[in-house]
Amino acid sequence: MTRNALPRLALIGFGAIGAEIAVCLSRLGETDRLVAVLVRPGRSAPAAVHDVKDLIAARPDVVIECAGHEAALAYCGPLLRAGIDVLLSSIGILSDDAVLADLARAETEGGGRLLLGAGAVAGLDGLTAAALAGVDTVTYLSYKPPHAWRGTQAEQTVNLNHEAAEVVFFEGSARQAARNYPKNANVAIAVALSALGPDLTKVKLVSSRRVTDPLGVIEAEGTFGRFRFEVLALAAPSNPKTSALTAYSLLQCVRLDASLPVLRLPGVKY
């Protein structure tokens, strides 16, 4: 890819996030940048392919993974070993140290970079800067309306028909949050890798009647001072568990080459 050229782009998955990225590319007049979309056989998508070998053969500069943990585990390694950069949406897979170590080896062997975008919560760049100065505590709080927690382990912990304005149903480490709530707590691992790591980063998950869409809050304190950043991001129309901002964040990270290299983040240990 030449300097200032927009990258050749591919997607893994064509659900709420992938479809929104395609719509945005069309609006920008950049649909020719999308060279492949990996989907299951029988599923339709622009430039659809059904095998990772065909995805690699399309020669993308960067692949945006937006298909969930299972797909990320299956395809990130082969792409990195093929020398292709991967912008990871399902960052929660990195709560497993063995997975992180395997992807680190894939980077070294193939030259592709494992990348992290800001996702649904902005402020990760400020958090990485704070980590360099000195961070003592980091907490990520995720507020979602009760219906957005349905279909998750929250249903076994709290009555989602609660009358209280807010119920904190999970308090623990980012690693625990990502393992227990893989479809809801990817951002927790992104926050963790940006500073203290998954075991020292605190997470609170809240069922809240005070919000109608996902509210993410990062709080940090240390030698640098205090840090608080929050984003109330509208939910994707087709999936209340996902912020609509996620698609735009991933795409803009690629367009501006503004992603964070995962293996150089301060909270990464493997």
Side-chain angles (χ1 to χ4, degrees):
M1 185 175 66
T2 60
R3 183 175 177 85
N4 297 326
L6 290 174
R8 289 167 57 84
L9 172 66
L11 304 176
I12 299 174
F14 201 66
I17 296 173
E20 194 64 32
I21 288 174
V23 168
C24 189
L25 284 170
S26 178
R27 188 166 61 248
L28 293 167
E30 298 176 10
T31 53
D32 59 327
R33 306 292 176 185
L34 185 60
V35 298
V37 179
L38 179 61
V39 291
R40 292 188 180 94
R43 296 288 299 273
S44 61
V49 297
H50 305 298
D51 185 278
V52 69
K53 293 180 180 178
D54 292 330
L55 180 62
I56 293 170
R59 298 177 57 201
D61 295 306
V62 60
V63 174
I64 299 178
E65 176 279 310
C66 49
H69 287 201
E70 183 178 350
L73 290 169
Y75 302 126
C76 286
L79 289 167
L80 295 173
R81 289 185 171 90
I84 298 171
D85 292 349
V86 179
L87 180 57
L88 185 63
S89 173
S90 303
I91 198 74
I93 66 170
L94 302 185
S95 63
D96 186 328
D97 290 339
V99 170
L100 183 58
D102 180 66
L103 294 178
R105 287 191 294 272
E107 261 203 17
T108 300
E109 293 168 5
R113 298 178 301 162
L114 186 65
L115 303 171
L116 169 64
V121 176
L124 296 186
D125 54 346
L127 185 56
T128 59
L132 189 62
V135 173
D136 296 325
T137 63
V138 177
T139 302
Y140 172 66
L141 303 98
S142 177
Y143 299 84
K144 294 182 182 182
H147 70 88
W149 295 110
R150 295 195 184 280
T152 75
Q153 192 170 314
E155 290 185 309
Q156 302 172 24
T157 305
V158 61
N159 180 357
L160 293 175
N161 295 317
H162 59 81
E163 296 182 359
E166 291 185 344
V167 176
V168 178
F169 62 86
F170 175 87
E171 290 188 69
S173 70
R175 192 186 301 276
Q176 293 168 324
R179 288 176 175 173
N180 293 350
Y181 298 90
K183 295 183 179 180
N184 295 275
N186 282 315
V187 176
I189 291 298
V191 171
L193 298 183
S194 298
L196 295 180
D199 295 312
L200 296 180
T201 300
K202 302 173 184 177
V203 172
K204 293 183 180 181
L205 303 180
V206 186
S207 175
S208 175
R209 296 193 178 280
R210 292 174 176 164
V211 301
T212 56
D213 292 279
L215 171 64
V217 180
I218 303 172
E219 296 178 338
E221 189 169 346
T223 305
F224 74 96
R226 293 179 182 172
F227 179 97
R228 178 182 171 91
F229 197 96
E230 64 179 62
V231 174
L232 178 62
L234 299 181
S238 60
N239 186 354
K241 297 180 176 63
T242 299
S243 164
L245 181 62
T246 302
Y248 299 102
S249 173
L250 293 169
L251 179 57
Q252 195 71 315
C253 281
V254 170
R255 295 178 76 252
L256 300 179
D257 194 21
S259 305
L260 301 171
V262 168
L263 297 180
R264 294 176 61 189
L265 292 174
V268 173
K269 303 289 187 294
Y270 60 90

